[in-house]
């Protein structure tokens, strides 16, 4: 079976693409709901009717189940689960790392997954705990890599073998793991052992780990974030370059009476209204659902429907070039997500390089947006403008040929020639009332222009309110400008 990943659209570090597994194709970013054959509240076929193109289940459960083992070996996974789309099987590494089991080997799980007709096979990787020490993480990583290689050598067809990136909390190990995995030329590369981080809201650590792993993987790898199923984090994970997610959250939260939304979860008992338009919420009131015998099933349905909707929303945002706006909204729903978002904006500039140069709009939503990719790109463009010896920078948009090169000013970008007024990002940016951060960032743009044109003399006609701030930024070049 072949595996190929094609990127169609990009925004920030996020991609909309197509993952082809044999003759099946799924759109990415994709959500793979986790299926437990013993406790399946929503039939996979019903999920397919909601737009689910791939699911994930646990080979370990099948191999241990009296009810399912033989049946699945004979009929195959797709028949038993009644799902025609892509089925990924996990090796159960995670369960083994928690419960321990000496009887399962890498070779056993690989050949079992192959025999039951899995579309994406996962080796018995070792999910190193984020608390583990360096030497443990390093050793686990070696074992994981050797098991991936063993998979390549023993599977008759290893193109759809997933190659997990481990390395615990150590960023150099994550990067090394990713580089090693990348060299094996397998299409699907999951980032593993991040569940404990997400469970304890350590999104800041998650950002560093994903960044380190991504830095070692080529753009053509389809990256799965193992165990990430909460819709509030999809925008961030996609912005960092993750393409596949698996959700057990929809079912686990339902079991616990919790109601998922893309901006956090609620206890059903705390809700007075269902504002969600899904089929469950539009036909029940919270107190009714709370008393229903089908509570868990109905709640799981709602949880999965909102999770699917969020994946679609993220895909649409990438297509429209408005992922920054969605990201901003989502990451304000939890303080740890906000910290992670700020860390992501602050440090990761390299991933911007591949995004679209022109987008539908730029909607400034607060000071974090001063560091958006579009601002960074615009500032690097300012280094290359060719201008006259005489330059007028005017905030009032009035200037003529006698003034030399004329630039208007739009924060957070900075100076722009009037010809660019209709082009992205100047033209398509929606900027509310100017605030200090955006003007300061615009002033940094101005500084770049002055700095790169030492032979030009600048006259800056700026609004009195901002004069001091502009001057603070550009004062090292005092000899080259006057502010009027
Ligand atoms: N599920 C969640 N995390 C992991 C992981 O690191 N490896 C595997 N195989 N499954 C997982
Ligand atoms: Zn709903």
């Amino acid at each position: 079976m072949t595996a190929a990943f094609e990127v169609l659209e990009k925004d920030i570090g996020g991609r909309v693409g197509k993952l082809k597994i044999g003759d099946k194709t799924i759109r990415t970013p994709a959500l793979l709901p986790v299926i437990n054959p013993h406790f399946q509240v929503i039939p996979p076929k019903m999920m397919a009717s909601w737009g689910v193109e791939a699911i994930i289940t646990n080979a370990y459960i099948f191999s241990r189940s009296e009810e399912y083992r033989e049946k699945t070996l004979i009929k195959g996974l797709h028949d038993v689960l009644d799902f025609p789309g892509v089925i990924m099987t996990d090796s159960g590494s995670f369960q083994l790392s928690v419960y321990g089991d000496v009887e399962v080997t890498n070779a056993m799980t690989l050949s079992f997954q192959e025999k039951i007709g899995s579309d994406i096979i996962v080796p018995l990787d070792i999910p190193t705990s984020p608390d583990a020490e360096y030497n443990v993480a390093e050793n686990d990583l070696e074992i994981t890599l050797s098991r991936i290689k063993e998979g390549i050598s023993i599977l008759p067809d290893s193109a759809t073998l997933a190659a997990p990136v481990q390395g615990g909390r150590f960023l150099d190990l994550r990067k090394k793991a990713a580089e090693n995995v990348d060299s094996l030329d397998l299409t699907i590369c999951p980032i593993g052992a991040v569940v404990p981080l997400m469970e304890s809201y350590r999104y800041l650590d998650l950002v560093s780990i994903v960044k380190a792993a991504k830095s070692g993987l080529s753009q053509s790898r389809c990256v799965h974030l193992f165990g990430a199923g909460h819709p509030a984090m999809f925008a961030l994970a996609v912005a960092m370059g993750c393409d596949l997610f698996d959700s057990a959250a929809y079912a686990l939260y339902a079991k616990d009476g919790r109601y998922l939304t893309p901006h956090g979860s609620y206890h059903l008992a705390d809700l007075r209204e269902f504002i969600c338009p899904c089929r469950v919420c539009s036909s029940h009131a919270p107190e009714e659902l709370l008393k229903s015998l089908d509570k868990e099933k109905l709640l799981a349905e709602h949880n999965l429907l909102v999770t699917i909707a969020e994946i679609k929303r993220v895909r649409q945002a990438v297509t429209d070039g408005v992922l920054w706006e969605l990201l901003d909204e989502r990451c304000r729903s939890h303080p740890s997500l906000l910290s992670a978002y700020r860390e992501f904006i602050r440090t990761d500039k390299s991933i911007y390089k591949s995004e679209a140069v022109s987008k539908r709009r730029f909607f400034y939503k607060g000071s974090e947006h001063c560091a958006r990719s579009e601002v960074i790109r615009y500032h690097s463009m300012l280094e290359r403008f060719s201008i006259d010896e005489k330059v007028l920078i005017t905030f009032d948009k009035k200037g003529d040929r006698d003034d030399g090169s004329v630039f208007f000013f739009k924060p957070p970008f900075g100076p722009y020639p009037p010809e660019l007024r209709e082009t992205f990002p100047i033209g398509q940016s929606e900027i509310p009332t100017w605030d200090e951060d955006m003007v300061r960032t615009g002033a940094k743009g101005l500084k770049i222009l002055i700095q790169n044109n030492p032979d030009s003399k600048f006259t800056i006609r700026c609004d009195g309110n901002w004069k001091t701030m502009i001057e603070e930024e550009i004062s090292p070049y005092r000899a080259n400008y006057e502010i009027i």
Side-chain angles (χ1 to χ4, degrees), residues 176-391:
K176 181 181 145 205
E179 285 166 353
N180 280 315
V181 150
D182 199 67
S183 70
L184 301 174
D185 212 18
L186 292 166
T187 302
I188 300 153
C189 301
I191 299 174
V194 290
V195 170
L197 298 176
M198 296 186 289
E199 280 173 351
S200 50
Y201 299 96
R202 286 163 67 184
Y203 291 115
L204 205 56
D205 294 332
L206 181 73
V207 165
S208 323
I209 287 171
V210 171
K211 210 174 79 181
K214 281 287 296 185
S215 74
L217 294 171
S218 39
Q219 287 292 315
S220 58
R221 306 292 175 232
C222 185
V223 178
H224 180 159
L225 193 60
F226 253 143
H230 197 300
M233 62 164 303
F234 290 163
L236 180 62
V238 169
M240 291 191 288
C242 299
D243 310 292
L244 303 178
F245 302 92
D246 58 283
S247 172
Y250 78 96
L252 295 175
Y253 278 64
K255 205 170 189 167
D256 212 18
R258 286 199 287 168
Y259 181 91
L260 281 179
T261 80
H263 40 263
S265 48
Y266 299 85
H267 280 283
L268 192 53
D270 295 335
L271 289 174
R272 293 290 158 274
E273 301 283 349
F274 281 151
I275 51 166
C276 165
C278 89
R279 60 188 215 159
V280 175
C281 300
S282 51
S283 56
H284 296 83
E287 63 272 19
E288 214 183 304
L289 195 60
L290 205 54
K291 287 187 223 134
S292 165
L293 292 176
D294 281 335
K295 181 178 103 176
E296 186 179 335
K297 179 180 181 304
L298 292 169
L299 205 45
E301 262 190 50
H302 155 84
N303 286 349
L304 185 57
L305 285 166
V306 292
T307 310
I308 294 168
E310 180 67 3
I311 277 286
K312 292 180 178 171
R313 190 176 290 119
V314 172
R315 285 201 298 252
Q316 185 67 42
V318 170
T319 302
D320 287 345
V322 296
L323 186 57
W324 274 119
E325 283 80 355
L326 182 63
L327 187 54
D328 197 87
E329 215 170 296
R330 291 299 182 249
C331 290
R332 279 171 208 283
S333 58
H334 194 282
S336 344
L337 267 179
L338 185 55
S339 309
Y341 170 49
R342 288 185 172 147
E343 169 69 12
F344 168 67
I345 290 193
R346 199 176 60 77
T347 57
D348 207 336
K349 310 288 183 228
S350 60
I351 61 167
Y352 301 160
K353 291 199 181 111
S354 61
E355 74 167 14
V357 174
S358 185
K359 299 184 184 185
R360 202 161 90 175
R361 67 165 186 191
F362 176 109
F363 182 6
Y364 182 89
K365 291 198 164 191
S367 58
E368 281 80 12
H369 280 203
C370 290
R372 277 175 61 154
S373 41
E374 298 89 342
V375 179
I376 293 168
R377 178 173 298 112
Y378 187 76
H379 282 185
S380 68
M381 222 165 93
L382 278 171
E383 292 171 11
R384 301 189 300 269
F385 280 135
S386 75
I387 58 177
D388 294 344
E389 269 175 34
K390 192 174 162 194
V391 186

Side-chain angles (χ1 to χ4, degrees), residues 90-94 122-123 125 127 164 166 191-195 226-227:
D90 198 349
S91 53
S93 291
F94 216 62
V122 177
D125 57 327
Q166 297 289 352
I191 299 174
V194 290
V195 170
F226 253 143

Side-chain angles (χ1 to χ4, degrees), residues 11-31:
D11 193 14
I12 318 180
R15 305 89 75 81
V16 157
K18 273 197 238 168
L19 176 64
K20 281 191 185 161
I21 303 290
D23 58 4
K24 297 168 195 168
T25 301
I26 65 177
R27 279 168 295 172
T28 67
L31 172 81

